[in-house]
Amino acid sequence: MVARRTARDLRNENRFEVLHALFELGPSTRQELAKHTGLSPATVATLVTEFLSEGVLRIATVENNTGGRPQERLSIDPDRGRIVGVDVAETYVDATVYDLALGTLGHGEVALDEHENDPAYVVDGVVRAIESAVAAGEAEHEHIIGVGVSMPGHVHPEAGVSVFAPNWDWRDVHIEKMLAHSLLVPVYVDNPLKAVILSEMWFGAGRVVDTMAVVNLGTGVGTGIAIDGSLIRGSTNNAGEWGHTLLQLDGRPCRCGRRGCVEAYLGAPGLRTTLAEIDPGHPTLRQSRQRDFVEAVADGLAAGDPALRDLAQRTSHYLAAALGDLVNMLNVPSVTLTGWASKALAEWLLPAVREELVHHVLPGSLPRLTVEPSQVPGNAVTLGMAAFTLQQFLTRLGLASPAGTRPWSDRGRGIGPS
C-alpha cells in the first residue's frame, strides 16, 4: 500500500529541492533558486528563511543592482558541522570527512580480512578508519553532526540492521546500534547501491538525466536505480540486486547460494575464476588480496598480456549481456559504472561492452543509451552516505527530507550542534 502524500510531505520535498539546487548551482539568489526548482518565489523565500535561521545557509555576497533592491546570494555554510561518510566493503573500510557543503576534508582507510566475519571486528575497522579520517581532516569530534555508514548486502535503514550479508554470513546484525555505541554520534546505515545512485543524482549523470542506473563493480556487483528523479528502494530496501539475477542457467556457484548469478562472473572473485579457466598457472592468480589481484590485471592489460586480454574480452561479453537485461527491464537512457574494480578496468571493458550491447538491448531502448564511467568525484559511496546524513541532519532540525529517507532515530547519541 502506497502512503498518501500530505501537505507536509510536499513541503519537505520543497526544502530538499532548494538544498539540491544549491549543490547544483552554487551560490544563488532566491530568484535563481525559484527558477531552477520551479517553486514560487514566496515558497523559496520562506524556506530560505528557515535554513538561515538554523545556520544551514549563509549570505555569501550582496549584489547592488542599479535601480533595484540589493540581492543576496546564498550558499550552504560549510562550517555548520562535519559529516563522515563510510564505505564498508568485504576487504576495506574507507572513511571521508566532509563539511556541510560536502567538501572533502580528510580521508582514512583500513584493510579488512575478507575471511573475518565477526561484527565486532568490522565495527573496530570502521572506528579506526573514522579516527584516521577525522585526524587527517583536523575535525573536532564535537563538530561531527552524523556518520553515514554503507554496509554490503541487504540493509534495513529503518531498523539500523544488516539483514543479510552473504560474504560475512551475517543475519539480522544490529550494526547501527553497535556503531552508535562506539562512535557516540548519530549513525545512519544504508546499502552502497543506494549511496552510489544518490551521488550520481546529485553530482553525476543526474545533472543531465533523471532516469538512470549506476552499476557498482567490486567484490560484489549491483545497481542503484533512479526513475524520474526518485531513488528506487523497493519494499524492503533490496532493489538493485542485479548481481543476483541469472546470467548462466546452472552456472557457477554464487555466494548467495544460487548458481549462475551475474556476480559470480563480474565480481572480483568471478574475474579470478575466469582467469583460472583461461590459464590456471597465471602469475596474477598468486595475488591473494582482491584489490591487488584486480590492480595486477590492469597492469597486465596495459602491458598486453594475452591471457589477461582474453579475460577482459570474456568479462566484457558477460557485462554486455547482463547490462542488456538491465536496460531491457528498466528502459534507462543512462548507465554509469562505478566501484573500485570498475575504475581499474573500465578502459579495457567499456569499448567492447558498447560494441556488443547493440546485440543485447531491444531496439526501442537503444536510442540515446549511454554507458560511461561515473564522473562523481572521489568515492561515490562515502559521498552518497554523507548526502544521506545531511538529509537526516535536516530532519533532526525539523527541516525534514523527502519521503523515502527515514528520520533520525533516538539510537544515535549526537553531540554535534543542534
Side-chain angles (χ1 to χ4, degrees), residues 386-410:
F388 276 133
T389 303
L390 175 58
Q391 291 183 14
Q392 304 308 322
F393 175 61
L394 298 182
T395 300
R396 192 176 173 209
L397 293 177
L399 306 178
S401 56
T405 57
R406 71 185 179 93
W408 285 94
S409 72
D410 293 330

Side-chain angles (χ1 to χ4, degrees), residues 192-212:
L193 303 178
K194 310 310 180 292
V196 295
I197 190 62
L198 187 63
S199 290
E200 204 69 37
M201 292 167 70
W202 280 35
F203 304 106
R207 295 175 180 264
V208 180
V209 297
D210 59 6
T211 295
M212 71 198 86

